[in-house]
């Protein structure tokens, strides 16, 4: 009995808590019309998101999305990306995609203090605004790691946190067929797909992913479209 109690206490002490909701729950609590062509209260929606760009492979991805008349959410990174490829970021914005903040140096925000976390996000916000004219309202914490400290900083900066339900782990493989299979095996209604447009096998997998999702009746949307008519709330974690 003593061992069980000790284990229970240890687990309780290591659990991180923060305010979170699902896209569906957020929609259910909201009212009013959806300002856009897709109402995910009626359509079978899934959000498509890309982390870590912009990069030299992003234009090919944008070509694919443009051909399919689809929009995605891009969580962009500062160091080596925004400053290096401003014209690609501008194109992402100009073509109607949603842009989110993925920090400047991809530091794990739970492992640094609040001031440094704030700097990671603020620097990226300012860089995005300088290029596109608009500051993001969404962010994705590196490695999906967040806690109440991170949530408080995000709330101060007007950023909602977005996690995911589908990951292809495309950072560990160049096999486009495997990436496709992993995405399709995990996707369900109201899910959020995480991919990285900078990895070699990812962009070649996208056409097949899009085709299969459409065949299964999915409507592909941005994160904000997925939660509409709810508005992303600063500090809140959205995860399916």
């Amino acid at each position: 009995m003593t061992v069980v109690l000790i284990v229970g206490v240890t687990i309780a002490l290591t659990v991180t808590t923060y305010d979170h909701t699902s896209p569906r729950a957020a929609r259910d609590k909201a009212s009013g019309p959806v300002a856009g062509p897709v109402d995910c209260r009626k359509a079978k929606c899934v959000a498509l998101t890309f982390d870590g760009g912009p990069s030299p492979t992003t234009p090919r991805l944008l070509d694919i999305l443009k051909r399919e008349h689809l929009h995605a959410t891009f969580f962009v990174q500062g160091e080596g990306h925004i400053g290096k490829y401003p014209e690609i970021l501008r194109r992402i914005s100009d073509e109607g995609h949603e842009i989110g903040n993925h920090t400047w140096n991809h530091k794990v925000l739970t492992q640094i203090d609040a001031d440094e976390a704030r700097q990671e996000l603020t620097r990226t916000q300012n860089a995005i605004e300088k290029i596109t004219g608009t500051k993001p309202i969404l962010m994705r914490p590196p490695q999906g790691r967040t806690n109440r400290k991170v949530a408080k900083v995000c709330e101060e900066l007007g950023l909602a946190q977005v996690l995911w339900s589908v990951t292809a782990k495309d950072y560990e493989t160049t096999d486009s067929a495997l990436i496709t299979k992993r995405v399709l095996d995990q996707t369900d209604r109201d899910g959020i797909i995480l991919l990285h447009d900078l990895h070699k096998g990812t962009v070649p997998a996208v056409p097949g992913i899009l085709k299969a999702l459409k065949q299964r009746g999915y409507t592909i949307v941005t994160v904000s479209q997925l939660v509409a008519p709810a508005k992303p709330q600063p500090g809140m974690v959205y995860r399916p």
Side-chain angles (χ1 to χ4, degrees), residues 16-20 51 75 101-103 106-111 139-148 150-151 154 161-167 171 194 196 236-239:
T16 300
T17 58
Y18 45 77
D19 293 331
H20 61 87
D51 284 9
F75 291 96
N101 186 325
H102 197 43
T103 75
H106 204 259
K107 292 182 178 179
V108 177
L109 300 180
T110 56
Q111 296 177 357
M139 65 83 71
R140 173 165 282 157
Q143 299 183 14
R145 298 190 186 185
T146 188
N147 56 21
R148 290 197 179 276
V150 176
C154 289
Q161 305 180 75
V162 181
L163 301 186
W164 58 88
S165 57
V166 180
T167 175
Y171 47 82
L194 164 62
H196 299 78
M236 179 66 73
V237 173
Y238 291 84
R239 63 182 198 195

Side-chain angles (χ1 to χ4, degrees), residues 5-139:
L5 288 173
I6 292 173
V7 171
V9 170
T10 302
I11 292 173
L13 290 174
T14 58
V15 170
T16 300
T17 58
Y18 45 77
D19 293 331
H20 61 87
T21 189
S22 68
R24 181 174 180 176
R27 289 198 311 264
D28 288 347
K29 292 179 180 178
S31 60
V34 172
V38 181
D39 187 341
C40 292
R41 295 172 297 189
K42 302 174 182 178
K44 183 182 174 183
C45 292
V46 62
L48 182 62
T49 72
F50 295 91
D51 284 9
S55 66
T57 54
T58 307
R60 182 180 173 190
L61 171 61
L62 293 173
D63 290 342
I64 294 167
L65 295 173
K66 187 175 183 178
R67 184 175 68 237
E68 298 295 330
H69 306 288
L70 296 173
H71 292 101
T73 302
F74 288 81
F75 291 96
V76 298
Q77 193 173 318
E79 182 68 29
H81 296 277
I82 294 174
K84 193 171 183 180
Y85 305 107
E87 70 287 351
I88 300 177
L89 181 62
R90 192 173 296 111
R91 180 183 170 188
I92 293 171
S93 176
D94 289 347
E95 294 187 0
H97 299 284
E98 185 168 45
I99 296 174
N101 186 325
H102 197 43
T103 75
W104 191 261
N105 290 302
H106 204 259
K107 292 182 178 179
V108 177
L109 300 180
T110 56
Q111 296 177 357
I112 58 180
D113 64 31
D115 286 341
E116 190 174 1
R118 189 177 295 104
Q119 183 178 7
E120 279 283 309
L121 293 167
T122 300
R123 188 175 180 185
T124 311
Q125 289 287 88
N126 292 340
I128 293 170
E129 183 182 32
K130 184 177 180 180
I131 294 167
T132 69
T134 305
K135 282 185 179 181
I137 60 170
L138 304 177
M139 65 83 71

